[in-house]
């Protein structure tokens, strides 16, 4: 199984090398660390399904894919994963997306771990850094005083309207703590959530507008 994971990394990391800093190989490595921390508290979970899910969870991210992009399933088949493992990994990946709060239903503990591990990397200091890295890559404003955060939106609306980065905190990042599923995920999210609130308070002091 370790050879399978290494082969998966080799194939996937070549793709992530072309993504911006918010979704690059370092992001995958941080999510892996988060997943390992949660796995240590969830002994019934299949760690190999989780690890493969971590490696492949952004391969089909609509923000980066084209009609020519390879799929997670194609990578799994190319490295020799059997059908059972492939479907387990794909199911865990489907659990990850936020999509304006329109998350898919969880069907396994592996999916719950992967979702929490990924969302943790969207919180705290690294979550702040990633948000501004992505916003910068897309030419978005840092903040917009008169822009209201959307509370209800479809996946298409979430992905197509390019709001300012600080608005994204209210549309996603500050909501994640309450969406954590695993006990360890919830524990780890607390400090990161509080740090983001401190950051927004400091931002208010510096730019003179409430966020």
């Amino acid at each position: 199984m370790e050879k399978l994971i290494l082969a998966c990394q080799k194939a996937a990391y070549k793709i992530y090398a072309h993504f911006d800093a918010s979704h690059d190989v370092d992001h995958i490595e941080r999510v892996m660390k988060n997943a390992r921390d949660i796995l240590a508290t969830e002994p019934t979970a299949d760690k190999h399904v989780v690890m493969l899910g971590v490696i492949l969870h952004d391969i089909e991210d609509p923000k980066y894919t084209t009609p020519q992009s390879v799929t997670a399933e194609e990578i799994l088949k190319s490295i020799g994963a059997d059908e059972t493992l492939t479907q387990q990994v794909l199911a865990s990946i489907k659990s990850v997306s936020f999509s304006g709060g329109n998350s898919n239903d969880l069907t396994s503990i592996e999916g719950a771990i992967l979702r929490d591990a990924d969302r943790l990397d969207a919180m705290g200091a690294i979550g702040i850094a990633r948000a501004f890295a992505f916003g910068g890559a897309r030419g978005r404003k840092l903040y917009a005083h008169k822009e209201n955060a959307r509370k209800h939106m479809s996946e298409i609306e979430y992905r197509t309207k390019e709001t300012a980065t600080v608005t994204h905190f209210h549309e996603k990042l500050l909501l994640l703590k309450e969406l954590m599923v695993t006990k360890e995920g919830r524990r780890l999210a607390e400090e990161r959530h509080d740090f983001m609130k401190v950051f927004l308070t400091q931002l208010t002091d510096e730019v003179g507008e409430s966020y």
Side-chain angles (χ1 to χ4, degrees), residues 42-61:
E42 299 287 348
T44 64
D46 187 324
K47 70 175 184 178
H48 297 115
V49 170
V50 174
M51 292 171 71
L52 288 168
V54 169
I55 295 167
L56 295 171
H57 79 275
D58 277 336
I59 286 293
E60 296 179 63
D61 190 319

Side-chain angles (χ1 to χ4, degrees), residues 17-82:
H18 299 287
F19 290 9
D20 65 68
S22 67
H23 291 80
D24 60 5
V25 171
D26 288 339
H27 164 62
I28 301 300
E29 292 292 332
R30 291 190 304 269
V31 175
M32 185 69 78
K33 178 184 180 301
N34 295 339
R36 290 183 186 277
D37 289 341
I38 300 173
L39 274 166
T41 69
E42 299 287 348
T44 64
D46 187 324
K47 70 175 184 178
H48 297 115
V49 170
V50 174
M51 292 171 71
L52 288 168
V54 169
I55 295 167
L56 295 171
H57 79 275
D58 277 336
I59 286 293
E60 296 179 63
D61 190 319
K63 297 188 293 293
Y64 302 98
T65 55
T66 69
Q68 292 74 41
S69 296
V70 68
T71 67
E73 183 172 9
E74 288 170 341
I75 290 177
L76 287 166
K77 288 183 176 180
S78 73
I79 63 174
D82 63 36

Side-chain angles (χ1 to χ4, degrees), residues 22-168:
S22 67
H23 291 80
D24 60 5
V25 171
D26 288 339
H27 164 62
I28 301 300
E29 292 292 332
R30 291 190 304 269
V31 175
M32 185 69 78
K33 178 184 180 301
N34 295 339
R36 290 183 186 277
D37 289 341
I38 300 173
L39 274 166
T41 69
E42 299 287 348
T44 64
D46 187 324
K47 70 175 184 178
H48 297 115
V49 170
V50 174
M51 292 171 71
L52 288 168
V54 169
I55 295 167
L56 295 171
H57 79 275
D58 277 336
I59 286 293
E60 296 179 63
D61 190 319
K63 297 188 293 293
Y64 302 98
T65 55
T66 69
Q68 292 74 41
S69 296
V70 68
T71 67
E73 183 172 9
E74 288 170 341
I75 290 177
L76 287 166
K77 288 183 176 180
S78 73
I79 63 174
D82 63 36
E83 185 63 20
T84 298
L85 178 59
T86 295
Q87 293 307 315
Q88 288 174 329
V89 173
L90 294 178
S92 72
I93 292 172
K94 288 180 180 179
S95 303
V96 174
S97 181
F98 179 80
S99 301
N102 301 292
S103 301
N104 292 321
D105 292 336
L106 288 169
T107 58
S108 67
I109 183 60
E110 291 80 13
I113 293 170
L114 177 53
R115 178 191 286 183
D116 281 5
D118 184 52
R119 290 181 174 181
L120 282 169
D121 203 53
M123 302 177 69
I126 194 62
I128 294 169
R130 289 182 64 218
F132 284 102
F134 181 77
R138 298 303 170 98
R140 297 185 180 181
K141 290 174 64 66
L142 297 179
Y143 55 88
H145 291 315
K146 296 182 180 181
E147 186 171 67
N148 294 319
R150 299 163 294 173
K151 297 186 181 300
H152 304 286
M153 67 196 102
S154 67
E155 180 176 354
I156 293 176
E157 290 170 335
Y158 174 72
R159 294 193 181 281
T160 55
K161 184 178 179 182
E162 296 194 349
T163 55
T165 297
V166 170
T167 305
H168 183 61

Side-chain angles (χ1 to χ4, degrees), residues 119-210:
R119 290 181 174 181
L120 282 169
D121 203 53
M123 302 177 69
I126 194 62
I128 294 169
R130 289 182 64 218
F132 284 102
F134 181 77
R138 298 303 170 98
R140 297 185 180 181
K141 290 174 64 66
L142 297 179
Y143 55 88
H145 291 315
K146 296 182 180 181
E147 186 171 67
N148 294 319
R150 299 163 294 173
K151 297 186 181 300
H152 304 286
M153 67 196 102
S154 67
E155 180 176 354
I156 293 176
E157 290 170 335
Y158 174 72
R159 294 193 181 281
T160 55
K161 184 178 179 182
E162 296 194 349
T163 55
T165 297
V166 170
T167 305
H168 183 61
F169 280 69
H170 298 281
E171 293 186 344
K172 178 181 179 181
L173 308 189
L174 292 173
L175 307 179
L176 296 177
K177 184 185 77 166
E178 299 302 323
L179 298 176
M180 290 291 163
V181 179
T182 65
K183 182 177 180 180
E184 182 67 0
R186 291 193 296 271
R187 187 187 73 81
L188 293 170
E190 289 285 346
E191 183 177 1
R192 298 189 185 211
H193 178 82
D194 291 344
F195 186 86
M196 291 190 295
K197 291 172 64 177
V198 170
F199 167 78
L200 291 175
T201 298
Q202 179 66 24
L203 182 68
T204 297
D205 291 342
E206 293 180 11
V207 303
E209 189 77 15
S210 177

